[in-house]
């Protein structure tokens, strides 16, 4: 199964295609799609460059990234594993 | 230090306005990402894993308290309250919004800072000895020449669309504290035959996928001809370098493929013409730039300091700081002080906005308002009275910046790695943190003495792993992080690439393996040998044995 992800144009944050292909920030809100549907959704969000930058599909099991890039996708979904960003801050 | 003239101000202001318009058009959808990408890269903006990233230039690593406070303001206002110093002596912000970039750049321009040429296929920030103008072994301060190179290379029409990026470093002493032989061009100030300033020139160095140590192409280019010679090198590469393969586009590949002699002939052909054209640097213009870097108003002081010596005796922690983080100065009664950005378990190179403000205050109070960024991802207060080092140390201690580990095993260079970087294959920071915690005992670190440990999260080598005495390279093995270890690299005047010792290790094996390597050194070192001396004497084998002695299953 797959989910579709991208970075948001306005602030670069990680987003996913959720219900009705609306951008959502949490991976557990992403629509989990079969291969064929993922291609359709990907094509749809490619057509919305005002929101979705560099969209692509990610292999998942449930809402957990499972492909070769699973660690990278986990870090994208959860944030850096270390450092000041984890501690929070004003942002 | 250098101050902008009307041309600098106008150039930066116009670039901010131009880029602001480009950002607005991108935000409105008028520009696609493909159209915007080359424009943002000309202005130091990347799109990383989690957000945009802005890389701000600190030309040759020299800045002042006002600029540091502004960097803190930017971290606090537009980011998450911190910044990250890089191995190019720049600072990166990991979380800016696209729409905040114009305001950030305007704020920077007000203090004579910008992000121009911090990315893209152009001549990047020129780096130098972090102790320039302070070191006691210096022939001449290299920073005026860095500034001349900055002015020449900024938005240079011939060199704005190079085959790949191009990095220059300059030193003014025989001791290389700027890793010049890992650069596309490395420059070492020497005395020419006429006794005047000249440059020994190295070309074709670089790290990344195909690392090379730069080779000497000229022994003494007269200072007045420096820009002509650099132009000749750039022109030769620009004309002959490959553009069909990004991995073979750097000048190091060209020099290696045609050979140094053939490349020198090509450069000399251009140089023969260029040196008689208007690229000669007039003596009065060089003197005008040099005047910006005149030494500050040092007091005449004795070589030794009562307050410093008393603090050494009174406080073992201060004594440790003095042993490891305080460097000799050319001026009697003064020292340079390294502010380590490598606390135990911290993120190498990270600094909070509050710490930036604190360091700015300390630079203003104790170091003639001057600060330096080191390529080792530390800061330096270059000109501190010995009398005042104890007070400076206490103030640094109060803000968590008195870690006494400069050049020791926990002074690790590490790139952001897979925690932030879209190019990375593996994380660097957690591996550096694990090592830092494992080797935290300062007595142990001091027994080891200086050892440079460098980590990169991918083959692009932003963490300089090839030239670490011990290098760590993150690799991807079918979706799992593994780490290749090298031993015997060196960034200095005896520059060398490390030897890969064997199969890569899983993440949690890296720190123990490095500690076994260091322990082996303690067992076999001869009197007075530093870690790198022992490696040079005995080769990598004993260390290979130490790394793998407890491992039976590696990838």
């Amino acid at each position: 199964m797959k989910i579709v992800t991208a970075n948001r144009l306005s602030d670069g944050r990680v987003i996913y295609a959720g219900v009705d292909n609306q951008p959502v920030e949490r991976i557990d809100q992403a629509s989990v799609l079969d291969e064929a549907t993922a291609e359709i959704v990907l094509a749809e969000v490619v057509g919305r460059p005002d929101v979705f930058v560099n969209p692509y599909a990610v292999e998942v099991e449930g809402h957990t990234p499972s492909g070769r890039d699973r660690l990278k996708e986990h870090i994208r979904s959860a944030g850096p594993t270390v450092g000041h960003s984890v501690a929070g801050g004003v942002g | 230090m250098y101050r902008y003239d009307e041309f600098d101000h106008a150039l930066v202001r116009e670039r901010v306005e131009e880029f602001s318009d480009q950002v607005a058009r991108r935000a409105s959808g008028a520009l696609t990402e493909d159209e915007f990408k080359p424009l943002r890269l000309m202005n130091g903006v990347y799109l990383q894993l989690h957000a945009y990233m802005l890389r701000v230039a600190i030309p040759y690593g020299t800045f002042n308290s006002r600029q540091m406070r502004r960097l803190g303001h930017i971290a606090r206002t537009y980011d998450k309250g911190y910044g990250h110093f890089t191995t190019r002596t720049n600072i990166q912000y990991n979380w800016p919004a696209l729409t905040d970039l114009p305001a950030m750049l305007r704020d920077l321009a007000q203090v004579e800072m910008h992000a121009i040429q911090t990315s893209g296929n152009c001549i990047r920030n020129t780096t130098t000895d972090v102790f320039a103008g302070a070191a006691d072994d210096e022939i001449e301060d290299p920073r005026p020449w860095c500034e001349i190179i900055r002015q020449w290379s900024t938005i240079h029409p011939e060199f704005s669309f190079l085959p790949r990026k191009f990095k220059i470093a300059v030193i003014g002493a025989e001791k290389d504290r700027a890793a010049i032989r890992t650069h596309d061009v490395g420059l070492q100030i020497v005395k020419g035959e006429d006794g005047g300033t000249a440059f020994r020139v190295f070309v074709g160095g670089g790290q990344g996928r195909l690392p090379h140590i730069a080779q000497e192409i000229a022994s003494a280019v007269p200072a007045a001809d420096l820009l002509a010679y650099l132009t000749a090198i750039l022109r030769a590469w620009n004309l002959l370098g490959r553009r069909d393969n990004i991995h073979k586009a750097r000048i190091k590949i060209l020099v290696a493929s045609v050979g140094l002699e053939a490349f020198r002939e090509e450069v000399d052909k251009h140089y023969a013409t260029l040196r008689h054209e208007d690229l000669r640097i007039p003596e009065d213009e060089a003197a005008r730039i040099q005047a910006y870097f005149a030494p500050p108003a040092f007091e005449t002081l004795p070589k030794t300091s009562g307050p410093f010596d008393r603090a050494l005796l009174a406080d073992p922690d201060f004594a440790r700081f003095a042993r490891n983080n305080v460097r000799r100065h050319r001026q009697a009664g003064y020292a340079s002080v390294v502010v380590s950005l490598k606390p135990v378990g911290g993120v190498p190179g990270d600094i909070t906005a509050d710490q930036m403000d604190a360091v700015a205050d300390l630079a203003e109070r104790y170091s003639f308002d001057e600060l330096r960024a080191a390529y080792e991802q530390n800061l330096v207060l270059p000109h501190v009275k010995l009398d005042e080092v104890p007070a400076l140390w206490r103030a640094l201690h109060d803000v968590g910046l008195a870690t006494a580990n400069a050049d020791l095993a926990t002074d690790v260079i590490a790139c952001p790695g897979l925690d932030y970087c879209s190019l990375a294959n593996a994380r660097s920071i957690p591996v550096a943190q694990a090592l830092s915690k494992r080797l935290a005992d300062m007595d142990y670190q001091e027994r080891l003495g200086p050892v440079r440990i460098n980590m990169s999260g991918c083959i692009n080598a932003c963490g300089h792993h090839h030239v670490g005495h011990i290098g760590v390279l993150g690799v991807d093995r079918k979706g799992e992080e593994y780490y290749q270890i090298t031993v015997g690299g060196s960034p200095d005047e005896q520059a060398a690439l490390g030897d890969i010792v064997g199969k890569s290790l899983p993440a949690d094996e890296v720190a123990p393996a490095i500690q076994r390597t260091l322990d082996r050194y303690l067992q076999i070192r001869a009197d007075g040998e530093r870690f790198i001396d022992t490696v040079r004497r005995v080769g990598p084998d004993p260390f290979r044995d130490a790394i793998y002695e407890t491992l039976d299953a590696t990838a």
Side-chain angles (χ1 to χ4, degrees):
Chain A
M1 302 297 280
K2 292 193 168 174
I3 57 176
V4 171
T5 186
N7 291 84
R8 186 162 53 205
L9 173 64
S10 61
D11 59 5
R13 297 296 195 268
V14 175
I15 52 173
Y16 302 92
V19 174
D20 296 332
N21 300 340
Q22 291 304 302
V24 295
E25 292 189 13
R26 286 171 40 184
I27 195 169
D28 60 5
Q29 296 173 327
S31 298
V32 179
L33 313 160
D34 62 35
E35 188 90 25
T37 313
E39 280 187 27
I40 293 167
V41 170
L42 185 56
E44 145 70 14
V45 303
V46 164
R48 294 170 57 193
D50 56 326
V51 179
F52 292 86
V53 181
N54 300 335
Y56 59 95
V58 175
E59 284 180 48
V60 288
E61 288 176 13
H63 282 92
T64 304
S66 61
R68 182 173 176 138
D69 287 336
R70 58 190 177 277
L71 176 61
K72 176 179 176 180
E73 290 305 326
H74 169 73
I75 291 170
R76 285 184 75 245
S77 70
T81 62
V82 290
H84 294 96
S85 302
V86 176
V90 298
Chain B
M1 59 183 280
Y2 183 73
R3 298 303 310 265
Y4 278 13
D5 62 16
E6 68 270 30
F7 300 106
D8 297 305
H9 278 297
L11 186 150
V12 171
R13 192 171 56 242
E14 286 169 15
R15 175 58 79 89
V16 170
E17 294 314 310
E18 178 186 62
F19 187 55
S20 298
D21 176 64
Q22 291 161 350
V23 167
R25 286 190 286 146
R26 176 66 184 125
S28 74
L31 290 176
T32 67
E33 178 60 14
D34 285 347
E35 290 166 334
F36 182 61
K37 184 176 178 181
L39 303 175
R40 65 171 163 76
L41 287 177
M42 287 182 185
N43 293 282
V45 179
Y46 291 73
L47 182 52
Q48 296 285 34
L49 288 190
H50 310 286
Y52 294 97
M53 181 268 277
L54 177 66
R55 183 181 294 151
V56 177
I58 299 175
Y60 36 93
T62 297
F63 56 135
N64 62 26
S65 63
R66 183 166 173 247
Q67 291 171 321
M68 182 60 129
R69 286 194 195 94
R70 187 58 57 95
L71 294 176
H73 161 78
I74 285 171
R76 200 176 276 119
T77 308
Y78 306 106
D79 207 272
K80 293 197 176 191
Y82 72 103
H84 174 80
F85 280 96
T86 76
T87 50
R88 195 104 220 110
T89 74
N90 294 316
I91 186 168
Q92 295 181 176
Y93 295 100
N94 287 319
W95 301 94
L98 176 69
T99 44
D100 281 338
L101 291 169
M104 295 170 82
L105 293 173
R106 279 191 198 100
D107 286 355
L108 288 167
Q110 287 172 353
V111 294
E112 304 183 6
M113 300 186 89
H114 60 76
I116 297 167
Q117 290 183 203
T118 58
S119 55
N121 295 333
C122 55
I123 300 172
R124 302 290 189 90
N125 189 20
T126 297
T127 51
T128 190
D129 187 342
V130 72
F131 302 111
D136 65 354
D137 60 350
E138 193 172 79
I139 294 175
E140 184 178 325
D141 188 340
R143 291 173 302 158
W145 302 103
C146 295
E147 174 57 28
I148 287 167
I149 292 168
R150 185 194 72 80
Q151 295 191 12
W152 159 79
S153 64
T154 298
I155 318 185
H156 191 304
E158 184 176 342
F159 305 134
S160 290
F161 297 94
L162 294 168
R164 280 284 278 139
K165 58 188 169 184
F166 197 89
K167 298 177 182 177
I168 301 172
V170 191
I171 55 173
E174 283 194 21
K175 179 79 183 155
D176 180 0
R177 289 176 288 257
I180 66 167
R181 293 183 69 185
T182 67
H183 283 73
D184 297 286
V185 163
L187 300 171
Q188 177 189 350
I189 295 176
V190 293
K191 288 296 173 198
E193 285 180 6
D194 61 355
T197 300
F199 291 90
R200 188 179 179 200
V201 183
F202 297 88
V203 69
Q207 301 187 65
R209 186 179 302 264
L210 298 165
H212 290 272
I213 296 298
Q215 303 176 71
E216 182 175 333
I217 187 170
S219 59
V221 173
D225 293 329
L226 175 64
L227 297 184
Y229 199 77
L230 288 174
T231 301
I233 290 174
L234 267 294
R235 186 168 294 175
W237 171 54
N238 209 5
L239 290 169
L240 298 175
R242 290 181 63 167
R243 291 173 185 266
D244 60 319
N245 182 338
I246 190 174
H247 302 305
K248 296 188 176 176
R250 295 287 291 268
I251 195 172
K252 63 190 174 184
I253 305 299
L254 177 64
V255 173
S257 65
V258 303
L260 181 66
E261 292 309 317
F263 186 72
R264 182 185 287 127
E265 281 178 25
E266 199 65 30
V267 170
D268 285 348
K269 193 172 70 183
H270 294 297
Y271 181 50
T273 309
L274 287 163
R275 68 184 306 190
H276 299 299
E277 296 182 354
D278 58 3
L279 277 169
R280 283 184 72 83
I281 304 166
E283 277 184 29
D284 57 345
E285 181 61 13
R288 189 182 73 84
I289 299 294
Q290 282 167 329
Y292 284 109
F293 299 92
F298 292 124
E299 293 176 33
T300 301
L301 296 170
K303 280 186 178 176
T304 56
S305 153
F308 184 85
D309 290 344
R310 282 193 291 279
L312 286 180
L313 293 171
D315 192 326
D317 288 338
F318 174 73
R320 192 190 297 280
F321 182 82
R323 282 195 300 275
N324 298 324
N325 290 38
V326 176
R327 299 288 182 269
R328 284 204 312 262
H329 198 285
R330 68 195 315 166
Q331 180 72 25
Y334 286 82
S336 298
V337 175
V338 180
V339 179
S340 169
L341 301 183
K342 318 291 173 61
V344 173
V347 178
D350 271 15
I351 181 171
T352 68
D354 290 347
Q355 288 175 324
M356 290 186 219
D357 285 348
V359 173
D361 291 347
L362 296 173
E364 193 170 24
R365 180 165 179 186
Y366 293 117
S367 186
F368 295 94
D369 201 29
E370 203 177 303
L371 275 159
R372 305 288 173 80
Y375 88 88
E376 296 94 340
Q377 299 176 287
N378 291 320
L379 300 172
V380 165
L381 301 187
H383 311 300
V384 182
K385 268 190 220 174
L386 278 175
D387 287 354
E388 295 181 333
V389 173
L392 170 62
W393 169 72
R394 280 190 291 275
L396 289 170
H397 191 273
D398 288 346
V399 293
L401 289 173
T403 311
N405 64 349
D407 295 330
L408 300 182
T410 58
D411 185 5
V412 173
I413 292 176
C415 71
L418 191 58
D419 279 299
Y420 294 95
C421 179
S422 58
L423 297 175
N425 294 319
R427 287 173 290 174
S428 313
I429 297 168
V431 180
Q433 289 173 313
L435 184 71
S436 171
K437 290 173 185 164
R438 190 174 187 92
L439 306 181
D441 180 349
M442 287 304 308
D443 291 334
Y444 176 71
Q445 288 186 59
E446 287 198 292
R447 265 204 317 283
L448 291 169
V451 53
R452 170 125 306 290
I453 303 177
N454 295 349
M455 300 186 180
S456 303
C458 79
I459 196 66
N460 291 304
C462 295
H464 293 198
H465 64 276
H466 293 297
V467 292
H469 299 159
I470 298 173
V472 179
L473 166 64
V475 295
D476 176 284
R477 295 268 184 270
K478 298 177 182 173
E480 300 289 335
E481 296 170 296
Y482 277 81
Y483 295 85
Q484 193 180 75
I485 311 289
T486 52
V487 172
S490 181
D492 57 15
E493 61 282 3
Q494 291 179 268
L497 303 172
D499 291 315
I500 298 170
V501 292
K503 292 177 178 176
S504 50
L505 309 177
D508 58 2
E509 283 292 342
V510 174
I514 289 176
Q515 183 165 28
R516 289 195 299 276
T517 307
L518 297 170
D519 288 341
R520 182 61 49 90
Y521 153 71
L522 290 176
Q523 292 162 1
I524 66 176
R525 69 177 169 186
D527 281 349
E529 270 187 342
R530 301 167 303 165
F531 175 81
I532 188 62
D533 300 325
T534 304
V535 177
R536 286 174 182 149
R537 176 170 59 84
V538 304
D541 286 349
F543 305 104
R544 178 184 293 114
D545 295 344
I547 288 168
Y548 294 105
E549 69 184 14
T550 67
L551 298 174
D552 53 13
T554 55

